[in-house]
Amino acid sequence: MRQRKPLVVANWKMNGSFDLVQQMSAALSVLTQPLPDILICPPVILLPHFPKHPNYLLGAQNVSEQLAGAFTGEISADMLRAAAASYVIVGHSERRTLYGEQDAVISQKVKVAIDSGLTPILCVGESLVQREEEKTLQVLARQLDAVYAAQPHLLAHSVVSYEPIWAIGTGRTATPEQAQQVHQFIRQHLAQYDAQAANELRIIYGGSVTAANCEALFAEADIDGALIGGASLKVADFSAICTMAKDS
Ligand code: PGA
């Protein structure tokens, strides 16, 4: 029996609608326990439209590293909490590559999130070029150390999501073996900071996860769930993935 409760995250990115909120919440509400922790991260403007239900939690896709003030367009961790979010995705590769987020700001976001009572889901992952140059583990170590080397106490309050950039939105998934190898590396690497927290840490996988390929991923020892983009917009597919995760 796995001691870490699986976590299945829907990252809607800049997609979704009031209709999808209704359909998704209705579908998830009728799933029967036991379930994994199910987390929906829609665009923040949709958060207040989700009816409260014990079958799912809500989260955001980004947070400001600042607490409050003159930061046009930003949303604070406290505001997310007030909007019923309990988790926040931090350092997604789309934020890193399209919006220039660097390790230092990502590290600050993780800290601010935890200080406000949010659980950050730290995304790490290598590009195709980095993988081909066999730099995957080096890149991941850098991304992880940027957050936890100076602040090891944050580990016990985090989730890590391994998301190879070459697998995001491409239909190309890491094989379960490839993903397991990296997840195991992440857990071992983080054990230097806090062995117990690393053992209890949920490390989830992201990158073209579907109802068809999730079962094999969930069967791996160090894969504790998934972060899902495209398939999280399809109500039947996402519900099916959640149902399969409960048995992993
Ligand atoms: P995808 O997105 O499932 O559409 O590949 C995953 C992600 O953003 O991590």
Side-chain angles (χ1 to χ4, degrees), residues 7 120-124 144 148 155 158-163 183 186 190 201-205 224:
L7 171 67
I121 300 172
L122 173 68
C123 299
V124 295
L144 295 166
Y148 300 112
L155 190 57
S158 305
V159 171
V160 169
S161 187
Y162 169 55
E163 315 206 327
H183 282 226
I186 291 172
L190 291 173
L201 177 75
R202 291 191 288 187
I203 306 176
I204 61 177
Y205 170 80
D224 305 313

Side-chain angles (χ1 to χ4, degrees), residues 128-157:
L128 187 56
V129 173
Q130 289 165 335
R131 175 161 280 262
E132 285 170 351
E133 290 176 352
E134 297 183 2
K135 293 197 178 128
T136 298
L137 303 185
Q138 195 182 318
V139 168
L140 294 171
R142 193 207 74 221
Q143 293 172 335
L144 295 166
D145 293 345
V147 176
Y148 300 112
Q151 320 176 87
H153 59 285
L154 300 182
L155 190 57
H157 308 282

Side-chain angles (χ1 to χ4, degrees), residues 9 11 13 89 92-94 123 161-165 167-172 205-210 226-233:
V9 183
N11 176 11
K13 309 192 179 182
I89 297 169
H92 189 280
S93 62
E94 285 151 19
C123 299
S161 187
Y162 169 55
E163 315 206 327
I165 296 171
I168 296 178
T170 57
R172 196 177 153 192
Y205 170 80
S208 298
V209 175
T210 64
L227 191 149
I228 299 151
S232 76
L233 298 166

